[in-house]
Amino acid sequence: MTRTQQSNDEPIGPEDRIAVLLPLYLSGRLDEEDRAEVERWLEASPDAERALSEAWAERAAVTAANEDIVPPSGALARLNAAIDALPQKPRPATLLSRAWQSVSSLFDVGDRRLAWSTAAALLLVVAVQAGYLASRPQPDGYQTASGGKQSSVNRAADATVVFRPNASMSEISALLAANGAHIVSGPHGGVGFGIAFDDMHPGGSKAERVAKVSGNNGLVLLFTPMQR
Amino acid sequence: MGSETDDFQLMRRTAKGDRAALSALFARHYTRVFRFAARMVNSEPLAEEIANEVFMEIWQHADRFEGQSSVSTYCLAIARFKALSHMRKRREVVVEDEQMMALVDDADTPEVTAQVRSKANALRAAVDALPEEFRSVIDLSYYHEMSLKEIATVLSIPPETVKTRIFRARKRLANLLQDAGVDRGWP
């Protein structure tokens, strides 16, 4: 019988538990009971020092073997390229179809004023995003880039938003301010606004802030990201 | 635990299509996944392919993650599955003691003899020469610092089998070192 076969056939006795537990003990991943067992053995056994030394040496060799493997550069870019090559999910259509469902439900419950304004907003969102309607300047005016003076309303909108009819200006202002968002165009048809998000803001990443504004906050009726 | 909570939040956001969240998961876990795959299949190009498949799987199916294990455990479990699938396709032959035996056979010159007798080098060669099933369990416990339960999840085996493999892996290391003329003596 070869040594290999012997090794595979030998049962593990209770005295071999420490050999099993030591690697996990060094990693700090034993439960309380097993850790206590190892520590009792280490205190009492004349083999403790040698056993620990061998386990540490193994750990160093395994760590070196793994850390010698250098991950390739550019892997994230290749992953993103592969994701971009995937068949695109119809996210805008999904959002609009869900919005239409919301409009239908509003008609069902009889809130016709809200339903009609929402339906009008949906049409405007589609029209704006399709480029059929240009954004209008804010009442306080702004100058184009060629005029030299820049303002936030010159920024391209990240999304078109329709706020709920019962949302107050102070509530909307607070929501936008908390998430580094600004109205940069509109109102379109009296209901839709283009909003842009600051790239950097203490409120979190841009994606997090977009989620907060587009999510269930009681103020936003419709949120449609701009397609770029 | 704070890190685990962050990972869970990143998975939830990834499930909603947040590419920034996926990038954050990638930054946290790619190196670990790549190294684990490379040690399994002994090929860095194939390991890159496997690691890419792991994160593509996460991107497309993050909603399947239920939070019953850590995200790192989840990633390595997927990596193992993908690696085994590739290995079955390629009909890889697992080299057991060849690396170690070659080192022993080369122990004819004084320089190589000194190298072999260098315990650290011998141990490193022995670690690399372990069969895959032993190498994985040793890597997961020493390098990836996983618990018994986490190792069992990654390898899809019971915790008691994990214990058996750890013991036999360490015995195999001792035997390989002995063959190379290095007396360890424990276990």
Side-chain angles (χ1 to χ4, degrees), chain A residues 165-212:
Chain A
N166 58 348
S168 69
M169 281 309 301
S170 61
E171 287 173 324
I172 293 171
S173 297
L175 175 68
L176 297 180
N179 293 287
H182 312 273
I183 294 176
V184 297
S185 65
H188 309 291
V191 293
F193 294 89
I195 65 169
F197 288 84
D198 293 335
D199 288 331
M200 303 285 289
H201 189 269
S205 69
K206 190 172 178 180
E208 287 172 330
R209 290 180 280 119
V210 167
K212 287 177 187 172

Side-chain angles (χ1 to χ4, degrees), chain A residues 38-51:
Chain A
V38 171
E39 288 174 349
R40 282 194 300 271
W41 184 87
L42 289 173
E43 283 179 20
S45 172
D47 293 326
E49 188 176 333
R50 187 169 195 175

Side-chain angles (χ1 to χ4, degrees), chain A residues 27 50 54 58-59 78, chain B residues 48 141-142 145 179 184:
Chain A
S27 300
R50 187 169 195 175
E54 299 296 349
E58 281 176 13
R59 180 182 168 93
R78 286 189 285 280
Chain B
E48 185 181 353
S141 52
Y142 277 130
E145 296 187 327
D179 288 342
R184 188 164 85 165

Side-chain angles (χ1 to χ4, degrees), chain A residues 46-141:
Chain A
D47 293 326
E49 188 176 333
R50 187 169 195 175
L52 268 180
S53 173
E54 299 296 349
W56 277 118
E58 281 176 13
R59 180 182 168 93
V62 170
T63 299
N66 277 272
E67 291 185 347
D68 277 354
I69 299 169
V70 178
S73 59
L76 179 58
R78 286 189 285 280
L79 174 67
N80 279 324
I83 290 173
D84 290 339
L86 289 173
Q88 293 298 312
K89 294 179 186 178
R91 293 179 192 278
T94 302
L95 180 63
L96 280 174
S97 63
R98 278 193 267 122
W100 277 116
Q101 286 178 4
S102 299
V103 171
S104 299
S105 67
L106 289 171
F107 276 107
D108 288 341
V109 300
D111 192 340
R112 292 184 177 276
R113 183 175 73 91
L114 180 60
W116 280 118
S117 66
T118 307
L122 281 169
L123 288 173
L124 280 165
V125 163
V126 173
V128 168
Q129 295 214 353
Y132 296 129
L133 289 178
S135 60
R136 297 190 306 178
Q138 291 292 311
D140 59 350

Side-chain angles (χ1 to χ4, degrees), chain B residues 4-164:
Chain B
E4 187 171 275
T5 303
D6 292 341
D7 271 352
F8 286 0
Q9 287 178 350
L10 288 171
M11 286 294 274
R12 279 196 290 272
R13 285 169 47 193
T14 300
K16 293 178 183 176
D18 186 340
R19 289 278 282 267
L22 179 70
S23 295
L25 285 172
F26 186 96
R28 285 175 176 233
H29 299 289
Y30 180 82
T31 296
R32 172 193 297 271
V33 170
F34 177 78
R35 285 173 172 166
F36 178 74
R39 294 274 290 164
M40 270 196 73
V41 301
N42 284 322
S43 164
E44 292 191 18
L46 181 54
E48 185 181 353
E49 193 177 331
I50 291 166
N52 190 69
E53 289 177 13
V54 169
F55 285 92
M56 186 63 81
E57 174 89 11
I58 289 172
W59 171 247
Q60 293 181 295
H61 304 295
D63 54 335
R64 293 179 185 173
F65 177 70
E66 297 175 352
Q68 294 181 3
S69 68
S70 67
V71 171
S72 59
T73 301
Y74 185 71
C75 289
L76 293 190
I78 297 174
R80 178 170 175 81
F81 178 81
K82 301 280 185 191
L84 289 174
S85 178
H86 278 276
M87 287 160 70
R88 275 192 292 271
K89 285 179 193 171
R90 290 173 176 234
R91 300 176 186 273
E92 291 283 340
V93 176
V94 176
V95 175
E96 296 209 359
D97 297 341
E98 281 185 16
Q99 289 183 0
M100 198 62 205
M101 293 308 295
L103 199 56
V104 171
D105 288 345
D106 286 339
D108 293 331
T109 67
E111 293 81 11
V112 175
T113 300
Q115 186 180 20
V116 170
R117 295 281 163 82
S118 162
K119 186 175 177 181
N121 288 336
L123 185 50
R124 172 64 191 272
V127 163
D128 288 341
L130 285 174
E132 188 275 323
E133 64 171 0
F134 290 164
R135 193 166 60 238
S136 288
V137 76
I138 286 293
D139 279 1
L140 289 169
S141 52
Y142 277 130
Y143 177 68
H144 295 282
E145 296 187 327
M146 290 195 163
S147 66
L148 273 174
K149 184 181 172 187
E150 288 170 338
I151 296 171
T153 299
V154 172
L155 300 181
S156 295
I157 56 178
E160 285 304 310
T161 307
V162 173
K163 291 180 182 177
T164 303

